Amino acid sequence: MATKSVSAKKYPVPSWCTWLALAMLVIGIGTFGAGLNAVPNRVWPAYLTSFFFFSTLAVGGLFFAAVLHVTNAGWGITVRRFVEAFASFLPVAFVGGLILILGGGNLYEWMHPEVVAGDHLLQAKEAYLNKGFFVVRMVVFFGLWMLFGWKIVGNSLKQDKTGDEKHTRSNVGWSIAFLLVF
């Protein structure tokens, strides 16, 4: 049975939707900036909550897709594309993480050297809890997640085009590696 490829061109996004999305983006950035100017100690925790929520959805989707590949779950084919699509948000989440670094001083007391100097517990954790290592961890983790997402989703899309099952078999190995890293 041949399957028909559905093209995105058959379902174009109306121009008013694009303009509405851009207007909402501008309003959101403006509101975020105004909030940072007025009450940064309330805006950064809200940003952190939102960052974790959407980042978790992206990584969780990739995790679920990896579990489907490792377990060879036949039923998962019906939802695999949906959860793989979540992984497309990872680069956006990475940029959001870089923005989060700017507000780290409002969120984490260990980012203030004077606070660390006065607290023996924070001094004991200083090798792990410092801004430099925080940035390195974020870059490494997001880099690995995006690499695995690129390979796993890329192989799935290649299989859609070619119909070759070697891409699915390749995804089992990539999925096992991702699960170990995850």
Side-chain angles (χ1 to χ4, degrees), residues 32 43 54 59 64-65 81 89 91 118 120 126 151 158 166 171 182:
F32 181 68
V43 171
F54 289 107
V59 178
F64 191 60
R81 293 294 176 259
F89 189 73
H120 72 283
E126 193 173 11
K151 290 302 289 182
K158 285 178 192 172
K166 75 176 181 179
N171 267 350
F182 182 77

Side-chain angles (χ1 to χ4, degrees), residues 111-133:
M111 283 199 177
H112 299 285
E114 64 278 0
V115 173
V116 174
D119 187 340
H120 72 283
L121 287 176
L122 288 177
Q123 289 173 4
K125 301 174 185 179
E126 193 173 11
Y128 186 80
L129 295 179
N130 62 68
K131 191 172 187 174
F133 194 46

Side-chain angles (χ1 to χ4, degrees), residues 159 163-171:
Q159 184 182 4
D164 192 353
E165 290 185 21
K166 75 176 181 179
H167 299 297
T168 298
R169 287 190 296 277
S170 173
N171 267 350

Side-chain angles (χ1 to χ4, degrees), residues 101 110-111 125-141:
I101 293 167
W110 49 263
M111 283 199 177
K125 301 174 185 179
E126 193 173 11
Y128 186 80
L129 295 179
N130 62 68
K131 191 172 187 174
F133 194 46
F134 180 75
V135 172
V136 168
R137 282 191 312 265
M138 183 177 297
V139 169
V140 168
F141 285 132

Side-chain angles (χ1 to χ4, degrees), residues 39-177:
V39 283
N41 289 337
R42 292 189 66 179
V43 171
W44 283 114
Y47 181 85
L48 177 66
T49 303
S50 178
F51 169 75
F52 275 133
F53 177 76
F54 289 107
S55 298
T56 303
L57 284 178
V59 178
L62 188 57
F63 173 80
F64 191 60
V67 168
L68 291 175
H69 284 293
V70 169
T71 60
N72 196 22
W75 64 268
I77 294 170
T78 58
V79 296
R80 188 183 305 157
R81 293 294 176 259
F82 182 71
V83 297
E84 286 175 347
F86 282 19
S88 67
F89 189 73
L90 282 171
V92 177
F94 175 67
V95 172
L98 297 178
I99 293 169
L100 181 68
I101 293 167
L102 299 174
N106 290 317
L107 296 167
Y108 308 114
E109 61 182 11
W110 49 263
M111 283 199 177
H112 299 285
E114 64 278 0
V115 173
V116 174
D119 187 340
H120 72 283
L121 287 176
L122 288 177
Q123 289 173 4
K125 301 174 185 179
E126 193 173 11
Y128 186 80
L129 295 179
N130 62 68
K131 191 172 187 174
F133 194 46
F134 180 75
V135 172
V136 168
R137 282 191 312 265
M138 183 177 297
V139 169
V140 168
F141 285 132
F142 270 101
L144 286 170
W145 293 338
M146 288 187 289
L147 169 72
F148 284 113
W150 176 67
K151 290 302 289 182
I152 292 169
V153 175
N155 281 338
S156 288
L157 295 175
K158 285 178 192 172
Q159 184 182 4
D160 285 351
K161 289 182 181 175
T162 65
D164 192 353
E165 290 185 21
K166 75 176 181 179
H167 299 297
T168 298
R169 287 190 296 277
S170 173
N171 267 350
V172 172
W174 283 104
S175 296
I176 290 170

